[in-house]
Amino acid sequence: MAELRIDPGRPVPPRGGAAARWTLRTLALGYVLALVALPVATVTRRTFAGGPSLVLASLADPDLHAAARLGVLVATVSVLINTVFGVGVSILLVRYRFPGRRLLNAVIDLPVSISPVVVGIALVLVYGNSGWLGRYLEAIGVTVVFATPGIVLATVIVALPLVVREVVPVLEEAGTDQDQAAASLGATAWQRFVRITLPTIRWALAYGVVLSLARSLGEFGAVRVVSGSVAGESQTLTLFVNDSYQEFGPAAQQSAFTAAFLLMVVSVAFIVLIAWLRPGGPDSPRGPGSRPGPSSRPGPGKERS
Amino acid sequence: MRHPAQGRLTPTAGLGLGVSLLWLSLAVGLPVAAVVVTSFGNGPASFVAEVTSPEALATIRLTVGAAVLTTAVNAVAGTLIAWVLVRDEFRGKRLVEVIIDIPFALPTIVAGLVLISLYGPASPFGIDLVGTRRGVFLALLFVTLPFVVRSVQPVLMDLDRDVEEAAASLGAEGPAIFRRIILPTIAPAVLAGSALAFARALGEYGSVILISANLVGRTEVSSSYILKRIEEGEAAAAASVATLLLAVAVGVLLVLDLLQRRAARHG
């Protein structure tokens, strides 16, 4: 069973020479430093450049509070929807065979590969007030686009595959032997789900949920199209960052940097949490089907049928 | 490891499948269909006219060009970083691992703000890339950094060192070992990571808008153009460019699927 963690005791290869190794290391670290580490450090410095009193003053902004509340609400609802949907679809994809299974598998992956702006305008074309379904929804008094339901829908879509892609490999690895043994002993489907399936997938599920949460809190493009971004009303935290920055004026700038800094702290906390849930983390008995990062998700049709 | 009796839909599973399909149709299927139908609503000629209008064409050229360039840089830099993270030992490596993930976890608009504070008008180094194509390119490099690194890393870790050592004992030099032994093994992972990076770069919006300043014909990217058109109520113009982006995204997914199938067959 391949251990995916870097083993610090592994000997450095004898070949290549110290000079080559130093060159490669300098190049790689220099690139990461200039591209990510330095900018992140600079934004932190910028946020606190005017002293802590300015940061505290900008934290008292009621629009910031409203944006944070809406952002958290939207992220929570979206993650709940994606968790229930993700577990359900994963079980369907792994344990059942039905026509259109491969298509379903591919459609789930589509949202991460398309532009968030395209997701947004697609929703406007269907659920906007003159959209395919929107005109009928409007007639019965339901507003989706430029209201919270639209923001939730956009957020759900951009994070759609994250739970499924974590849970599917673990379910495949686990097989159905235990499940069938339990069934033959008279366990109901619900008992088998709660006692067998759920404990099997819990770490993968936790990982998927954290990934979805990070994505949902940070979504900007898709939300930007469907929200209308009215301060205190339909503005999420990411929209607040953008609108404040565009406003210019020192107070608005400070607000933008404060909100951005908050989001940055939350994202780094998520990365640390993800690293901890990752295989090789302190308490994560995840098998070789798991992968090291949020990035290396398998594409559609990865499982061999 | 599938039991022969498994696989048939039970009534409960059938209901679950129905609900899932309905939900997916409402959330993904119908919206995607609406984009495509809207773009071809006035016939294929109007689609072609919309995507070849001077402004649209300029954004498509910039977006595709920058995405190609970004992907090429990522293929090389990503492989290099993955190599250093797997084969080299140095202090602070865990920190670098965390830094690599930042572009994924950071909300795109925050990424934009982060870049503009170092490479914008208030840059401590005096490098101002606002309103330049280099700024767009930089933002794309930032958000796509982890793709190749994270897809190559596990493959490098699993690589059997015996073959390399055998080659070395037979007198092969470092570069030859890399080209003949390592590169063929990691190539599918490099391609997969690059494909994802390309798709991401093509549709990127949040991290680009602040540093690009959205100058029409110069630094305006396609996603930004689509948003502008939909806000002006020109649904067909927006949908046409969106359809083009969608088509490329689907193409990338298909290529990825094909590569993974091939890798699965060979491995």
Side-chain angles (χ1 to χ4, degrees), chain B residues 65-90:
Chain B
V68 168
L69 212 58
T70 305
T71 309
V73 172
N74 265 303
V76 177
T79 307
L80 170 69
I81 294 166
W83 174 268
V84 170
L85 285 176
V86 173
R87 291 294 175 92
D88 204 351
E89 293 300 330
F90 52 90

Side-chain angles (χ1 to χ4, degrees), chain A residues 59-296:
Chain A
L59 274 176
D61 186 346
D63 285 347
L64 175 74
H65 293 179
R69 264 199 306 275
L70 182 63
V72 170
L73 172 77
V74 165
T76 310
V77 175
S78 310
V79 168
L80 277 176
I81 293 174
N82 271 334
T83 305
V84 173
F85 171 82
V87 172
V89 167
S90 303
I91 291 175
L92 284 169
L93 283 176
V94 174
R95 299 209 176 146
Y96 297 95
R97 290 295 169 271
F98 47 89
R101 186 173 151 275
R102 283 203 54 198
L103 183 69
L104 175 66
N105 200 17
V107 167
I108 289 169
D109 273 324
L110 193 60
V112 285
S113 292
I114 62 182
S115 172
V117 173
V118 174
V119 170
I121 72 149
L123 288 178
V124 169
L125 291 175
V126 176
Y127 299 102
N129 56 17
S130 56
W132 286 7
L133 297 181
R135 66 186 75 167
Y136 305 111
L137 291 172
E138 195 83 355
I140 56 168
V142 179
T143 314
V144 178
V145 168
F146 300 129
T148 311
I151 304 179
V152 171
L153 193 54
T155 310
V156 167
I157 296 171
V158 293
L160 195 65
L162 299 176
V163 169
V164 179
R165 289 298 154 234
E166 295 307 320
V167 172
V168 161
V170 177
L171 271 182
E172 278 182 342
E173 195 74 26
T176 53
D177 295 351
Q178 287 193 349
D179 208 58
Q180 289 184 356
S184 71
L185 293 172
T188 65
W190 179 251
Q191 280 173 327
R192 278 177 282 146
F193 175 72
V194 173
R195 301 257 186 95
I196 298 170
T197 309
L198 217 48
T200 308
I201 61 172
R202 63 169 184 239
W203 287 107
L205 187 60
Y207 190 71
V209 165
V210 176
L211 287 180
S212 307
L213 198 58
R215 182 71 212 254
S216 304
L217 267 179
E219 181 49 32
F220 172 70
V223 167
R224 163 87 213 269
V225 185
V226 297
S227 94
S229 196
V230 178
E233 230 174 80
S234 59
Q235 202 177 40
T236 62
L237 214 44
T238 51
L239 293 170
F240 177 84
V241 171
N242 180 52
D243 296 351
S244 305
Y245 186 81
Q246 308 280 12
E247 253 179 56
F248 294 102
Q253 292 289 299
Q254 182 65 50
S255 293
F257 276 94
T258 304
F261 182 74
L262 283 178
L263 282 167
M264 202 166 81
V265 170
V266 173
S267 349
V268 172
F270 279 137
I271 299 175
V272 173
L273 192 60
I274 285 166
W276 181 77
L277 287 171
R278 203 180 267 181
D283 188 26
S284 56
R286 291 185 52 198
S290 46
R291 300 175 307 285
S295 53
S296 38

Side-chain angles (χ1 to χ4, degrees), chain B residues 60-257:
Chain B
I60 293 166
R61 277 213 192 98
L62 171 66
T63 307
V64 174
V68 168
L69 212 58
T70 305
T71 309
V73 172
N74 265 303
V76 177
T79 307
L80 170 69
I81 294 166
W83 174 268
V84 170
L85 285 176
V86 173
R87 291 294 175 92
D88 204 351
E89 293 300 330
F90 52 90
R91 289 174 67 180
K93 195 153 103 171
R94 296 199 70 135
L95 183 67
V96 177
E97 289 274 0
V98 171
I99 294 174
I100 300 279
D101 276 335
I102 286 181
F104 268 153
L106 213 58
T108 51
I109 187 70
V110 178
L113 203 67
V114 160
L115 287 172
I116 214 171
S117 56
L118 184 61
Y119 300 112
S123 165
F125 302 137
I127 308 168
D128 185 359
L129 298 179
V130 172
T132 66
R133 292 183 166 189
R134 274 178 303 161
V136 174
F137 181 48
L138 183 75
L140 295 180
L141 282 182
F142 181 92
V143 294
T144 55
L145 168 73
F147 285 104
V148 174
V149 180
R150 293 298 183 220
S151 75
V152 172
Q153 219 177 353
V155 181
L156 268 182
M157 281 181 197
D158 283 348
L159 202 66
D160 194 355
R161 295 263 184 108
D162 295 352
V163 188
E164 282 169 64
E165 276 157 23
S169 73
L170 293 172
E173 292 294 326
I177 295 177
F178 183 79
R179 210 178 55 242
R180 299 263 182 87
I181 297 170
I182 298 167
L183 200 56
T185 315
I186 63 171
V190 175
L191 281 173
S194 303
L196 289 173
F198 181 75
R200 175 71 196 261
L202 209 59
E204 184 54 25
Y205 173 71
S207 64
V208 172
I209 48 155
L210 292 183
I211 205 161
S212 80
N214 245 340
L215 305 176
V216 174
R218 259 177 51 76
T219 59
E220 189 185 32
V221 293
S222 292
S223 49
S224 185
Y225 173 81
I226 294 170
L227 182 66
K228 190 169 85 179
R229 283 285 171 265
I230 198 83
E231 281 178 344
E232 287 167 355
E234 292 182 49
S240 298
V241 177
T243 300
L244 198 68
L245 288 191
L246 263 174
V248 179
V250 170
V252 167
L253 277 182
L254 288 177
V255 170
L256 206 59
D257 189 29

